[in-house]
Every structure is written in structure tokens, then in C-alpha cells.
Amino acid sequence: MFFWLNRFDKVDVPPICFGKGISEKIQDKLREKVEGKCTGRYGYTILVARVVKIHPGRLDVVTGHAHFGVDYQAIVFKPFKNEVLPTEVSLVTEQGFWCQAGPLEIFVGTEGIPKDYIFNPTDKLYSSEDEDKLIRKGSACRIRILGMTVDADKFKVVGTMKGPYLGPDQ
């Protein structure tokens, strides 16, 4: 799910950036630091939408860098258990398949695939018994999150396509 959050972070600016236009350089450093990164608390930061306030900097006498506190608003993506997501299949194996929902990687094991789907090892795909629906690399598939663990910089997610309105979009 996507959220609009007010956040605070600290940015280190080297002495070469001091002078005219330092606020733009602080904003660039902030975007470089947080955009596209994952934290267990907030999820994936998609975009720094607006910098609200740049607090006065503190000079580090050892390195010469200045440390600025920055209040900003960001759009973040944080998955939740039982959330249904549209995904794209990225890898198909005999044990199941991996799919992507934006920056999130989801594994759907064989226990999360309906029994009427059969694995074809030569074509590396799952097909329904009537071969009407296929799961292959690049296929769109609707997945429900069963469980997840959070590392410091990544979500590990297990999903299923068993259930109403889940499975390949064809």
C-alpha cells in the first residue's frame, strides 16, 4: 500500500558543496540517500515529494562535513499481510515462481499454486489443465501476501494465488 508520510532524516554534506545553492545540494543528497531504499519501519521510499524544512547544520571538526536535519514529505510503499497485489512474473522454477510488484519480490511456492496447474519443465511455465491460463516469465499475475519478514533493507515475501480473483490475468 502507498502512503504519504512526513519524515525526518540527517544529511551529510562535504565541504566542496558549501556556498551558493547549498539547499539544492542538500535536497539532492537527501534524494540520493532515501529514494529507492527500503527500511523496515517505513517500507520502500518511492519519492521525496517535498522538502519542508532544512534545519541549521552542524560542522564536524574531524571530517569538515556539515550535518543537516531535513523535514520532508515522501511517498512510500509498504506491503501488508493479506494485501492483494498485481505482479509480473520474473522467474519460474519447479518449486514455484518469483514475481515483482514494484520493488517488492514475492515468492509463490507450489503450495500457493492451485492444484490444477502443471509445471512444464521444457517451456518453464505453469499451465492450467485446460491450458487456458499460463504462468510464465513476463505474465501478469494477481497475488495475495501470506507472510513476510523484514530485514534491515529488504522485505522477504511469500504469496499465494489460491483464492477468488487471484492468479494470471488473461
Side-chain angles (χ1 to χ4, degrees):
M1 190 172 287
F2 291 93
F3 295 97
W4 180 277
L5 293 180
N6 293 317
R7 294 189 54 191
F8 174 82
D9 216 326
K10 290 186 177 180
V11 178
D12 296 336
V13 179
I16 197 165
C17 298
F18 295 170
K20 198 173 191 175
I22 192 168
S23 64
E24 287 82 20
K25 291 176 183 167
I26 292 170
Q27 291 178 32
D28 291 343
K29 291 276 185 192
L30 175 69
R31 285 186 171 91
E32 182 182 307
K33 180 179 179 181
V34 299
E35 283 184 352
K37 306 293 189 301
C38 177
T39 62
R41 182 174 180 188
Y42 298 112
Y44 294 92
T45 302
I46 305 298
L47 173 74
V48 173
R50 186 170 77 96
V51 173
V52 177
K53 182 178 181 182
I54 299 174
H55 298 275
R58 296 201 173 192
L59 194 60
D60 185 343
V61 294
V62 177
T63 63
H65 289 215
H67 306 287
F68 292 91
V70 182
D71 291 317
Y72 62 99
Q73 295 177 329
I75 297 172
V76 298
F77 171 68
K78 185 171 184 180
F80 290 97
K81 188 176 178 182
N82 292 321
E83 183 175 5
V84 175
L85 297 171
T87 65
E88 182 178 329
V89 177
S90 56
L91 177 67
V92 180
T93 66
E94 195 170 344
Q95 290 79 29
F97 63 91
W98 289 91
C99 51
Q100 295 275 140
L104 187 66
E105 274 192 326
I106 303 169
F107 177 70
V108 179
T110 52
E111 64 279 347
I113 300 171
K115 298 291 182 208
D116 65 330
Y117 281 81
I118 301 162
F119 180 70
N120 181 338
T122 52
D123 296 330
K124 293 210 176 208
L125 59 84
Y126 284 92
S127 62
S128 59
E129 286 178 348
D130 57 1
E131 295 188 10
D132 184 33
K133 296 182 179 179
L134 302 174
I135 300 171
R136 66 172 74 169
K137 185 176 180 178
S139 298
C141 194
R142 197 170 294 113
I143 302 297
R144 183 171 50 88
I145 296 174
L146 284 179
M148 63 184 168
T149 58
V150 182
D151 287 344
D153 62 345
K154 190 174 183 180
F155 285 91
K156 293 182 181 177
V157 181
V158 176
T160 184
M161 57 180 246
K162 287 182 178 176
Y165 307 108
L166 300 178
D169 296 336
Q170 293 177 352

